[in-house]
Amino acid sequence: NRQERVLQDQAKLLDDLTDAVWKWRYTSVQVSYAGRMCNESNMDTALESYRTQRWGDLHALRSLASRSRRLVSKETHQTLLKFYHESMELDRRIEKAVRLKDKIRRAAVLGEMNSKLVNSYSDEIEEMLLIIGLEMKLISRSAREGAENGGNR
């Protein structure tokens, strides 16, 4: 029936979104980590991998945001679009940082980016995915209670 189909589509969206968001985050962490270590060889390898993957990753984020439009609230759809635009901005910042000629400055900028990606950005991703799962009613009662009490992180 239609309700079951919507639930299946929502579950698939949340699974696909989770994979896409974390893939993008790990690709970004990889290049920012390599850059902060001042190892040119590792940086070149990470940057090549990042540049190869980023368009597919960004496409997946944008595509999933579009798919979400029929499965989530307008607010949640806007949250996903905002995340996509923030990811595009992060890409611009990474590209700007890796072009810095001063290796020490580049390492400092990428190190700061890496710290934000590993800490606050990861927390924001967890929160966003939790809120979407709660909205879709795809989260168990115990997880929901933990989230509402701030203890599910």
Side-chain angles (χ1 to χ4, degrees):
N1 80 32
R2 183 173 172 0
Q3 189 66 22
E4 287 175 14
R5 177 68 182 167
V6 168
L7 189 61
Q8 288 173 350
D9 288 349
Q10 286 178 326
K12 179 158 179 29
L13 174 67
L14 187 57
D15 288 345
D16 292 349
L17 184 62
T18 299
D19 288 343
V21 166
W22 286 112
K23 184 176 184 292
W24 167 251
R25 185 257 188 206
Y26 278 102
T27 302
S28 302
V29 166
Q30 182 183 23
V31 74
S32 63
Y33 179 80
R36 79 179 194 145
M37 301 308 287
C38 292
N39 181 316
E40 292 299 312
S41 176
N42 288 351
M43 178 64 193
D44 290 344
T45 301
L47 189 56
E48 181 179 340
S49 174
Y50 173 80
R51 286 177 171 160
T52 299
Q53 295 178 55
R54 76 171 158 201
W55 297 118
D57 292 348
L58 290 168
H59 171 265
L61 293 174
R62 184 62 179 96
S63 175
L64 289 164
S66 292
R67 189 181 346 151
S68 77
R69 192 170 204 154
R70 66 183 178 83
L71 298 169
V72 297
S73 68
K74 184 176 181 177
E75 283 181 0
T76 297
H77 177 250
Q78 290 300 315
T79 297
L80 292 172
L81 287 175
K82 181 180 176 211
F83 181 83
Y84 167 75
H85 290 293
E86 288 171 353
S87 297
M88 292 288 293
E89 178 58 30
L90 176 63
D91 175 60
R92 284 189 280 279
R93 289 184 15 235
I94 288 172
E95 283 296 335
K96 184 177 178 181
V98 299
R99 287 191 303 267
L100 291 171
K101 300 293 182 206
D102 180 342
K103 292 178 185 180
I104 303 222
R105 177 73 181 130
R106 181 177 63 209
V109 169
L110 289 168
E112 182 180 329
M113 240 182 257
N114 182 263
S115 179
K116 286 180 183 176
L117 281 163
V118 169
N119 297 309
S120 61
Y121 200 67
S122 294
D123 290 345
E124 290 170 19
I125 289 170
E126 285 290 349
E127 186 70 17
M128 179 181 73
L129 293 171
L130 178 66
I131 289 168
I132 294 169
L134 287 169
E135 177 182 314
M136 294 176 173
K137 296 179 177 51
L138 296 173
I139 305 258
S140 71
R141 178 183 286 284
S142 61
R144 180 180 294 128
E145 289 168 0
E148 289 169 355
N149 294 324
N152 196 26
R153 288 173 112 190

